[in-house]
Amino acid sequence: MAQSTFDRRRVNGPEESFPPMFDDEDDGGRGWTAKRCRGAEDIRPIFLQPGLVSQANGSAYIETENTKLACAVYGPRQSKTTTYSERGRLNVEVKFAPFSCVRRRAPLRDAEDRAVAIAIHQSIVSSICLELFPKSTIDVFIVVIENDGIEGCIASGSIAASTALADAGIEMLGLVASCSAGVRGDEIRLDPVEKEVAAADGTVILACMPALSSVTNVYQSGRVSAQGAMKCMELCQDRCIDVHAVMAQSLLSSRASMP
């Protein structure tokens, strides 16, 4: 009777293997009912550091618990188009790292990348004095290192992009702060994580310039009543004032530490 031999030239795998299990694929709404470590009107702590990329004109790194992004700004530089434009052009590009999500993402850009880039572009474009940069372009590149919800990526990306633009010395009307909110029934939670967003009826993202008391962009998805949307905007605008203070303090600290 022939006996099986052990192949010592290679590493043998286990005799049995099982596919990975993702517990958060379908939580049945438990993401909303789960106990929250912070209040419903509280946002996650923000770590913001300008001047991350030395080769860029301006840069910023933001971290809000499980959401981490890096932003780099290049420009203003001469536009590659042959047509003359009296106003400058702002380009925003967002890329997700392959390891940023629970399931590995393909390195190619998809519709979600472009949707996040468009939302961030709409949030910050009105704060930049583009009329001072004729026939010029300003390029903003954002890399999502860790993702804990698209709403958090849009809000954090807008904050990082505005901070990086200010770090680059580009003329702006004011810093853009952003905050998101999730709605389920009559309950509103600010800065929801991915599980809370999946269990929510709808979400609202507000971007504004607190120094000028002006709103630059409102992004709403899902089912939210008119009264609920207005309440979300009021709560987000109050929290944007706190975010604006963090942005201003980080820029002052960065300038003070420069040689």
Side-chain angles (χ1 to χ4, degrees):
M1 183 176 180
Q3 296 181 353
S4 59
T5 59
F6 184 78
D7 190 356
R8 300 181 180 276
R9 294 175 297 178
R10 67 185 68 184
V11 178
N12 291 270
E15 295 181 359
E16 294 182 319
S17 61
F18 302 93
M21 301 295 294
F22 300 96
D23 296 333
D24 58 345
E25 286 184 346
D26 185 14
D27 60 357
R30 291 193 300 270
W32 191 270
T33 58
K35 185 177 180 181
R36 210 183 196 208
C37 60
R38 50 192 167 92
E41 297 183 3
D42 294 333
I43 61 176
R44 289 171 282 182
I46 297 176
F47 173 79
L48 184 61
Q49 180 62 52
L52 174 69
V53 183
S54 58
Q55 294 85 357
N57 297 101
S59 61
Y61 170 79
I62 187 171
E63 181 175 325
T64 58
E65 289 186 356
N66 293 332
T67 300
K68 303 178 179 64
L69 297 91
C71 176
V73 174
Y74 297 89
R77 49 191 177 186
Q78 184 178 359
S79 176
K80 297 180 180 179
T81 59
T82 57
T83 57
Y84 177 79
S85 176
E86 294 183 356
R87 289 175 56 88
R89 181 179 179 182
L90 176 67
N91 300 321
V92 179
E93 182 176 328
V94 176
K95 289 185 178 180
F96 285 81
F99 50 83
S100 61
C101 303
V102 176
R103 291 185 177 275
R104 182 177 175 86
R105 296 179 64 101
L108 301 177
R109 296 188 64 191
D110 53 15
E112 192 174 44
D113 299 352
R114 289 188 287 270
V116 175
I118 291 173
I120 295 175
H121 180 277
Q122 293 175 346
S123 298
I124 64 176
V125 66
S126 59
S127 67
I128 307 172
C129 302
L130 294 176
E131 65 275 5
L132 300 179
F133 310 104
K135 202 178 178 182
S136 301
T137 59
I138 300 174
D139 300 317
V140 178
F141 298 95
I142 299 175
V143 177
V144 180
I145 302 173
E146 187 173 357
N147 174 27
D148 193 8
I150 297 301
E151 286 72 13
C153 285
I154 295 175
S156 299
S158 301
I159 297 171
S162 183
T163 305
L165 289 167
D167 182 61
I170 296 175
E171 286 79 358
M172 303 170 62
L173 298 176
L175 294 173
V176 175
S178 183
C179 182
S180 60
V183 181
R184 184 173 183 181
D186 296 332
E187 185 180 1
I188 298 175
R189 291 186 179 182
L190 294 184
D191 196 13
V193 297
E194 188 172 12
K195 291 183 179 180
E196 294 175 332
V197 171
D201 296 332
T203 58
V204 175
I205 306 174
L206 175 77
C208 64
M209 291 186 286
L212 300 179
S213 300
S214 62
V215 176
T216 59
N217 187 32
V218 177
Y219 182 91
Q220 184 262 328
S221 62
R223 300 189 307 272
V224 182
S225 63
Q227 295 80 4
M230 292 300 297
K231 182 63 175 177
C232 289
M233 293 173 61
E234 293 175 2
L235 295 174
C236 289
Q237 198 162 10
D238 292 339
R239 285 295 169 265
C240 283
I241 297 176
D242 301 332
V243 175
H244 182 270
V246 174
M247 298 169 65
Q249 183 60 40
S250 65
L251 289 168
L252 289 174
S253 301
S254 176
R255 293 299 180 184
S257 60
M258 292 179 62

